[in-house]
Amino acid sequence: MATMKDIAKLAGVSTSTVSHVINKSRYVSEEISERVNSAARELNYRPSALARSLKVNRTKTIGMLVTTSTNPFFGEVVKGVERSCYHKGYNLILCNTEGDNERMRGSIDTLLQKRVDGLILMCSSLEGERIDVFEQYPDIPVVVMDWGPMLFTSDKIQDNSLRGGYLAAKHLIDCGHKQIGCITGPLVKHQAQMRYEGYKRAINEAGLTFSADWIVEADFECEGGYDAFNRIYAKGKLPSAIFVCNDMMAMGVINAAHEKGIHIPQDLSIIGYDDIHIAKFMTPSLTTIHQPKYRLGKAAVEALLNKVEGGSTDAQVVQLEPTLVERSTVLTLN
């Protein structure tokens, strides 16, 4: 493999001149620059990314941890992260935690040992966890996406789930529904709790009553929505509408309702949350709360690189606002 010394010998210049030309670290005349570049091409020279990273103490690499899920929400966020990294000239190393706490900690340790410039974490198991390894790498910036309180310093990018839950229930109320159920995510998770709190706020504001039979906790997966609807159905009379706290569970609800001959939205209105890409292609297409997934990913990269490239060192929270997407699963009552 050709080295800078080989280029210097062929071009008839010093090694330091070759370095200045290749790294663009100092002005070199056009004639000499051309000789150096011509020699580099002739020798098929490729600069060492490792050597350069050691010299500038930067690898141009970002590590990202995500939890396992069948929910395409995560893939859509990762797409925003990866594309933003590409446009900024950074590489992305993606690790899957499989929802395992030890694997999560091991992956964080591995990424830090590989000298990534920063970390983006999107793992629900992080909530309320203290990650001791961060104390060994105090200069590595961390951005946490879409989860609750952390016991370490980081920027945070999140969706306003309280507002989103309120918008969902308020839309059902505005469409004339007075008997409104809710299938929540795991209420130990901050975002699930906030969506449920938003639902309760809208119900209270409208002076409607809650029925414990119509409020069920589930797991943010299709099977969880399917089972949650069956539990509501088994208790007797159904509400006229249900706020299902993510689109994956809403798909499970619609499937379970279809098996029982319940028509959506004629017999039961459904509103989801996330606006995953396939939501508009369901039958009927799903009314939902749009979470800005691509912008979540883009904002995470921008916040991280602001720290990496010498911006503010203070921890910041960036909150993106959800919006209502009206489709075909909510019936307007007279």
Side-chain angles (χ1 to χ4, degrees):
M1 182 180 292
T3 66
M4 287 191 182
K5 286 184 179 179
D6 298 326
I7 297 171
K9 184 177 180 180
L10 183 60
V13 298
S14 68
T15 304
S16 62
T17 298
V18 173
S19 177
H20 290 314
V21 171
I22 290 175
N23 295 316
K24 296 181 173 60
S25 55
R26 198 181 74 184
Y27 173 75
V28 179
S29 71
E30 188 174 331
E31 185 266 330
I32 293 177
S33 294
E34 178 53 36
R35 277 163 49 194
V36 170
N37 289 326
S38 177
R41 288 192 296 271
E42 185 176 335
L43 294 170
N44 196 29
Y45 172 76
R46 293 290 182 271
S48 168
L50 176 60
R52 179 168 176 77
S53 70
L54 291 171
K55 184 175 181 179
V56 301
N57 198 29
R58 190 83 59 79
T59 62
K60 302 288 282 187
T61 302
I62 289 173
M64 182 176 185
L65 268 71
V66 295
T67 191
T68 299
S69 175
T70 58
N71 192 344
F73 165 81
F74 291 96
E76 293 177 32
V77 174
V78 170
K79 181 179 179 181
V81 170
E82 193 280 329
R83 188 170 294 178
S84 296
C85 285
Y86 173 77
H87 288 314
K88 299 288 187 179
Y90 280 74
N91 296 308
L92 180 68
I93 300 177
L94 185 65
C95 294
N96 189 339
T97 69
E98 297 285 348
D100 181 84
N101 202 286
E102 286 305 308
R103 180 166 176 175
M104 173 195 71
R105 290 172 179 273
S107 294
I108 291 173
D109 192 49
T110 297
L111 289 170
L112 292 174
Q113 289 182 34
K114 288 183 178 296
R115 303 181 69 252
V116 295
D117 294 331
L119 285 173
I120 296 174
L121 308 179
M122 197 176 188
C123 310
S124 58
S125 53
L126 276 168
E127 199 165 316
E129 288 284 333
R130 182 175 299 281
I131 310 297
D132 296 333
V133 72
F134 289 148
E135 297 174 7
Q136 302 170 31
Y137 298 85
D139 297 329
I140 301 294
V142 178
V143 171
V144 174
M145 297 184 66
D146 208 33
W147 297 109
M150 300 296 156
L151 300 181
F152 52 88
T153 301
S154 71
D155 281 7
K156 190 172 174 185
I157 314 297
Q158 65 184 18
D159 160 62
N160 187 347
S161 288
L162 180 68
R163 173 69 177 165
Y166 176 86
L167 286 176
K170 182 71 163 55
H171 178 64
L172 295 174
I173 292 165
D174 290 344
C175 289
H177 294 275
K178 299 184 184 303
Q179 299 174 324
I180 302 172
C182 183
I183 296 176
T184 76
L187 293 176
V188 294
K189 295 183 178 179
H190 178 74
Q191 300 301 79
Q193 181 67 45
M194 289 300 98
R195 292 174 195 181
Y196 180 48
E197 291 298 326
Y199 155 83
K200 290 195 293 184
R201 179 177 294 184
I203 296 296
N204 283 326
E205 188 180 274
L208 303 180
T209 57
F210 295 90
S211 170
D213 290 346
W214 297 338
I215 299 174
V216 176
E217 183 177 359
D219 63 359
F220 277 150
E221 302 291 343
C222 288
E223 292 82 359
Y226 180 93
D227 293 339
F229 177 79
N230 285 334
R231 286 155 61 191
I232 293 174
Y233 183 83
K235 292 177 181 178
K237 183 176 181 290
L238 290 174
S240 66
I242 301 177
F243 167 38
V244 187
C245 289
N246 82 340
D247 291 350
M248 293 294 282
M249 292 194 298
M251 291 170 64
V253 169
I254 290 172
N255 183 256
H258 175 75
E259 288 181 355
K260 292 173 172 53
I262 297 168
H263 298 94
I264 309 294
Q266 294 87 347
D267 303 325
L268 176 68
S269 290
I270 299 292
I271 186 168
Y273 199 110
D274 282 342
D275 192 27
I276 58 177
H277 182 67
I278 60 175
K280 64 182 176 182
F281 298 108
M282 294 165 56
T283 304
S285 58
L286 183 64
T287 296
T288 186
I289 300 299
H290 175 76
Q291 188 169 189
K293 298 166 289 299
Y294 182 86
R295 286 197 292 125
L296 280 171
K298 184 173 183 289
V301 173
E302 289 173 349
L304 190 65
L305 295 189
N306 180 55
K307 292 283 196 300
V308 168
E309 296 171 358
S312 170
T313 58
D314 296 331
Q316 300 180 27
V317 175
V318 178
Q319 185 158 271
L320 303 180
E321 296 300 320
T323 53
L324 172 69
V325 179
E326 296 185 57
R327 294 196 180 104
S328 305
T329 55
V330 174
L331 182 69
T332 300
L333 304 179
N334 293 327

